[in-house]
């Protein structure tokens, strides 16, 4: 038995679908920012303070803190206090490495996002 196509965005089933997909969409939005991906790649080398990440990325401390808050809220990084410093680490390195590796595999197997006018900001 196949599921019916829902054309009415006011249909309660559409709301349920949106609620189910919202967390995944939020995760992909978090991973969709190049600076956050760079932070995650650097965190794969070990724990780092905000100051260390700021120096590595060449970004303002406030910008790094905002990106780290997003990654923390999405459950991708953890934070602990060491004196007055906040120390960040990858929350689940194995699973995150699998996810990033799968994304890279997809890119190598197809045309990649460069061919997508929607992602390039060009409207067809």
């Amino acid at each position: 038995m196949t599921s019916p196509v829902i054309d009415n965005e006011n249909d309660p089933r559409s709301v349920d679908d949106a609620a189910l997909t919202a967390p995944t969409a939020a995760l992909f939005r978090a991973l969709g920012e190049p600076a956050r991906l760079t932070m995650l790649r650097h965190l794969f080398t070990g724990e780092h303070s905000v100051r260390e990440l700021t120096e590595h990325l060449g970004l303002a401390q406030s910008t790094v803190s905002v990106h780290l808050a997003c990654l923390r809220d999405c459950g991708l990084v953890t934070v602990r206090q060491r004196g007055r410093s906040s120390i960040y680490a990858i929350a689940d390195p194995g699973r995150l490495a699998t996810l990033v590796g799968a994304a890279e595999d997809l890119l190598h197997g197809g045309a990649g996002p460069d061919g997508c006018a929607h992602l390039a900001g060009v409207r067809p």
Side-chain angles (χ1 to χ4, degrees):
M1 179 176 174
T2 61
S3 298
V5 174
I6 301 171
D7 291 326
N8 183 352
E9 67 183 39
N10 294 321
D11 187 304
R13 292 172 291 181
S14 296
V15 175
D16 290 344
D17 287 345
L20 290 172
T21 58
T24 304
L27 173 66
F28 282 111
R29 278 193 305 276
L31 295 172
E33 167 58 46
R36 288 193 284 266
L37 279 174
T38 302
M39 282 180 199
L40 289 171
R41 286 196 175 278
H42 194 56
L43 287 170
F44 272 115
T45 67
E47 296 180 327
H48 292 285
S49 68
V50 174
R51 182 187 55 76
E52 292 166 340
L53 289 167
T54 298
E55 289 173 2
H56 178 76
L57 296 166
L59 297 173
Q61 183 271 326
S62 59
T63 301
V64 170
S65 292
V66 168
H67 286 313
L68 287 168
C70 174
L71 294 171
R72 184 192 65 233
D73 292 348
C74 288
L76 297 173
V77 299
T78 59
V79 61
R80 67 179 177 82
Q81 294 303 122
R82 182 174 67 198
R84 292 179 51 171
S85 296
S86 295
I87 307 299
Y88 287 85
I90 301 286
D92 190 338
R95 288 179 31 187
L96 185 57
T98 299
L99 177 62
V100 172
E104 290 171 352
D105 287 347
L106 282 170
L107 290 172
H108 293 295
D114 294 336
C116 180
H118 294 284
L119 296 176
V122 176
R123 305 272 177 190

